[in-house]
């Protein structure tokens, strides 16, 4: 992608994260003390289990190196605003969902460079080697994620009516922009995209479904109520594909590394729809254990 396209992608992520900040308040971060068990299970799934499962799938499937690295970039990312929307529609615990997204977004600033560097070293051949500068990457992710979230929270704090009014238009605008970015990547990689989709589609779908299933049942193992278990499942399985694409295109300057996150970003709406259906059905016919 050219410099203008790269800048547009970075700006779209900034807008998305600003929109997320408009929906957050300080109390969202205090919930770690209110729901410690649910928060810890959710964060363990996102920060530890997800990269492990991503590496296992990328190693087990016969993938091209670029696809494997793309899967690991995706697995290193936190949940995004989309996961909050899906949790809401699925009758999950929206407060827990928002809290997990917010906290994991801060933690992964530190973990992303290390996980991505590991993937680059492990999957790419020596002649293809790229290496992220850890400190520089942390600063860049801080600028395009945490600072916009913080700015959104400040606006929400002092101009709540305006923040609530703008949250939906910002979400729609960012959705349109990321759709255009995915189309742009598809056009640029059109000669390889069908092959990439055939490879990345199965493993991206496997990562998505497996992490949601593991997320849900890990919550049930710890006797976490069903609404919270639904949110943990969705937060574990619906990752911030926009951030993954941005890391590939803006930080690593390689659109082929963005193919797996782009494919994932399309597939997750179908699996998210299934999660919404199951969540609504579960809320209508709860088991005696969940009542």
């Amino acid at each position: 992608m050219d410099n203008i396209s790269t800048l547009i992608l970075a700006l779209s992520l900034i807008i998305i994260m600003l929109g997320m900040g408009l929906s957050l308040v300080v109390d969202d971060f205090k919930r770690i003390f209110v729901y410690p068990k649910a928060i810890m299970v959710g964060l363990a799934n996102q920060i530890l289990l997800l990269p492990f499962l991503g590496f296992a799938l990328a190693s087990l499937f016969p993938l091209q190196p670029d696809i494997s690295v793309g899967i690991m970039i995706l697995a290193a990312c936190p949940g995004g605003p989309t996961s909050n929307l899906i949790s809401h529609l699925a009758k999950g615990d929206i407060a827990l969902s928002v809290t997990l997204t917010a906290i994991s977004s801060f933690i992964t600033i530190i973990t992303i460079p290390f996980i991505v560097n590991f993937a680059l070293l492990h999957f790419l051949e020596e002649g293809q080697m790229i290496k992220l500068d850890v400190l520089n990457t942390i600063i860049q992710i801080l600028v395009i994620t945490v600072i916009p979230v913080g700015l959104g929270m400040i606006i929400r704090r002092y101009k709540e009516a305006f923040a609530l009014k703008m949250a939906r238009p910002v979400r729609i605008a960012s959705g349109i922009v990321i759709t255009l970015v995915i189309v742009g990547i598809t056009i640029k990689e059109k000669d390889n995209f069908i092959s990439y989709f055939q490879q990345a589609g199965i493993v991206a779908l496997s990562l998505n479904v497996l992490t949601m299933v593991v997320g849900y049942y890990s919550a049930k193992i710890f006797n976490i109520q069903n609404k919270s278990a639904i949110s943990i499942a969705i937060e574990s399985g619906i990752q911030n594909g926009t951030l993954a694409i941005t890391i590939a295109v803006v930080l690593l300057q390689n659109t082929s590394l963005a193919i797996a996150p782009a494919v994932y970003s399309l597939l997750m709406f179908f699996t998210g729809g299934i999660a919404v259906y199951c969540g609504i059905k579960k809320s209508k016919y709860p088991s005696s254990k969940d009542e």
Side-chain angles (χ1 to χ4, degrees):
M1 298 178 81
D2 57 29
N3 290 335
I4 294 176
S5 300
T6 301
L7 179 62
I8 290 172
L9 176 57
L11 288 174
S12 72
L13 181 63
I14 289 171
I15 292 170
I16 289 170
M17 301 312 289
L18 175 65
M20 190 173 89
L22 293 174
S23 69
L24 294 174
V25 293
V26 174
D27 284 346
D28 291 320
F29 295 90
K30 294 179 180 177
R31 289 195 185 97
I32 192 169
F33 303 107
V34 180
Y35 310 114
K37 185 166 64 172
I39 295 287
M40 290 300 116
V41 171
L43 288 178
N45 285 340
Q46 285 185 304
I47 307 301
L48 302 175
L49 192 59
L50 180 59
F52 174 79
L53 291 175
F55 178 72
L57 291 171
S59 300
L60 289 172
F61 281 82
L63 304 174
Q64 291 186 24
D66 287 350
I67 300 296
S68 296
V69 173
I71 290 294
M72 287 302 295
I73 293 173
L74 187 61
C77 289
T82 303
S83 63
N84 304 152
L85 175 61
I86 293 174
S87 286
H88 173 66
L89 296 175
K91 308 295 184 183
D93 185 335
I94 185 63
L96 174 62
S97 177
V98 168
T99 303
L100 284 171
T101 296
I103 296 173
S104 65
S105 294
F106 280 86
I107 294 174
T108 51
I109 293 173
I110 306 297
T111 59
I112 284 172
F114 293 101
I115 293 172
V116 173
N117 267 340
F118 169 77
L120 292 168
L121 290 170
H122 184 83
F123 290 110
L124 293 184
E125 296 176 3
E126 193 170 334
Q128 301 175 288
M129 194 54 62
I130 314 167
K131 197 170 188 298
L132 282 176
D133 180 286
V134 172
L135 181 59
N136 187 47
T137 302
I138 289 172
I139 293 170
Q140 287 177 299
I141 295 174
L142 186 76
V143 169
I144 60 179
T145 59
V146 174
I147 290 177
V149 168
L151 180 60
M153 290 182 67
I154 291 171
I155 295 172
R156 172 70 182 267
R157 172 69 176 81
Y158 294 101
K159 299 286 184 179
E160 184 174 6
F162 174 78
L164 295 175
K165 183 179 178 181
M166 289 302 297
R168 188 168 183 270
V170 166
R171 190 163 56 241
I172 292 171
S174 60
I176 292 171
V177 172
I178 191 56
T179 299
L180 293 175
V181 167
I182 291 173
V183 170
I185 291 170
T186 304
I187 292 171
K188 186 177 187 303
E189 299 289 338
K190 61 182 182 297
D191 294 335
N192 300 314
F193 194 81
I194 299 300
S195 171
Y196 283 158
F197 195 92
Q198 288 173 338
Q199 288 191 71
I202 296 174
V203 69
L205 182 61
S206 298
L207 180 66
N208 185 203
V209 173
L210 182 60
T211 48
M212 279 203 284
V213 171
V214 170
Y216 182 79
Y217 285 103
S218 65
K220 300 307 283 186
I221 287 172
F222 286 93
N223 295 316
I224 294 171
Q225 65 162 322
N226 194 64
K227 282 174 66 74
S228 297
I230 289 171
S231 289
I232 289 172
I234 292 168
E235 286 296 317
S236 300
I238 303 293
Q239 304 317 118
N240 192 336
T242 311
L243 177 57
I245 293 170
T246 304
I247 290 169
V249 174
V250 177
L251 302 188
L252 294 172
Q253 299 181 350
N254 188 335
T255 54
S256 63
L257 299 179
I259 294 295
V263 170
Y264 179 96
S265 295
L266 297 173
L267 292 174
M268 73 179 185
F269 288 103
F270 294 100
T271 55
I274 294 171
V276 169
Y277 170 78
C278 293
I280 292 173
K281 187 176 180 181
K282 189 75 173 175
S283 69
K284 288 182 178 178
Y285 307 104
S287 65
S288 57
K289 189 180 293 186
D290 295 323
E291 290 181 313

